[in-house]
Amino acid sequence: MRVPCRLLLPLVFAVGCSTGNTNIAPREDYQEVTARLTILVEHERADKALPALSIVLVDDQETVWAQGFGYADPEDSVPATARTTYRVGSVSKRLLRSVMESEGFTVYEWEWWHFDYGDWSEYPILNRRFEEIVSR
């Protein structure tokens, strides 16, 4: 039985309050993945009218890509970078919970970051590289 799932990105919808000037170009073996993610991120940013967001991709403790999208300060056209600091407070927790619950996950009440899906014990624990999942 195949369980449908969506790639959920922790999209940040806040105005950036400070920036640095550092993005990290994708490592060579991640260029295809980051090209696909860039398209997805820009689509989601436009769809949700997000002024900015930043994403960092890590593989085995190594940052393989870090990029800002949009404007940290739209009024002054200051671009977001991988080092942009966002003021999000607890908004991201509520957003994550809302999205996860809308997809059928349940939250463990004492740990806001812990979610279960249906009868999770029916599914094996997999150890797959990100490239294997994206290439499908």
Side-chain angles (χ1 to χ4, degrees), residues 35-52:
R36 290 181 184 183
L37 282 173
T38 297
I39 292 167
L40 175 65
V41 167
E42 288 293 9
H43 170 77
E44 291 297 317
R45 195 174 71 78
D47 183 60
K48 293 167 179 52
L50 305 174

Side-chain angles (χ1 to χ4, degrees), residues 21-36:
N21 58 3
T22 306
N23 289 318
I24 297 173
R27 197 170 74 187
E28 188 174 331
D29 56 329
Y30 277 87
Q31 288 181 352
E32 183 180 342
V33 170
T34 58
R36 290 181 184 183

Side-chain angles (χ1 to χ4, degrees), residues 41-79:
V41 167
E42 288 293 9
H43 170 77
E44 291 297 317
R45 195 174 71 78
D47 183 60
K48 293 167 179 52
L50 305 174
L53 67 94
S54 298
I55 186 169
V56 176
L57 193 58
V58 176
D59 182 3
D60 194 27
Q61 306 302 314
E62 178 188 352
T63 299
V64 295
W65 179 53
Q67 183 69 44
F69 297 88
Y71 292 97
D73 183 350
E75 291 179 15
D76 291 329
S77 298
V78 176

Side-chain angles (χ1 to χ4, degrees), residues 12-18 50-52 71-75 84-88:
V12 178
F13 58 96
V15 176
C17 59
S18 67
L50 305 174
Y71 292 97
D73 183 350
E75 291 179 15
T84 298
T85 302
Y86 297 92
R87 295 175 282 180
V88 295

Side-chain angles (χ1 to χ4, degrees), residues 77-128:
S77 298
V78 176
T81 72
R83 294 195 180 273
T84 298
T85 302
Y86 297 92
R87 295 175 282 180
V88 295
S90 293
V91 172
S92 58
K93 292 176 192 172
R94 289 192 303 266
L95 175 63
L96 176 64
R97 181 175 181 159
S98 173
V99 169
M100 295 295 281
E101 288 179 336
S102 75
E103 294 296 324
F105 289 82
T106 56
V107 67
Y108 180 63
E109 292 299 326
W110 295 273
E111 296 175 350
W112 66 265
W113 63 91
H114 181 149
F115 294 89
D116 286 329
Y117 186 79
D119 191 6
W120 56 268
S121 62
E122 298 272 327
Y123 302 98
I125 295 175
L126 302 175
N127 186 13
R128 294 203 176 141

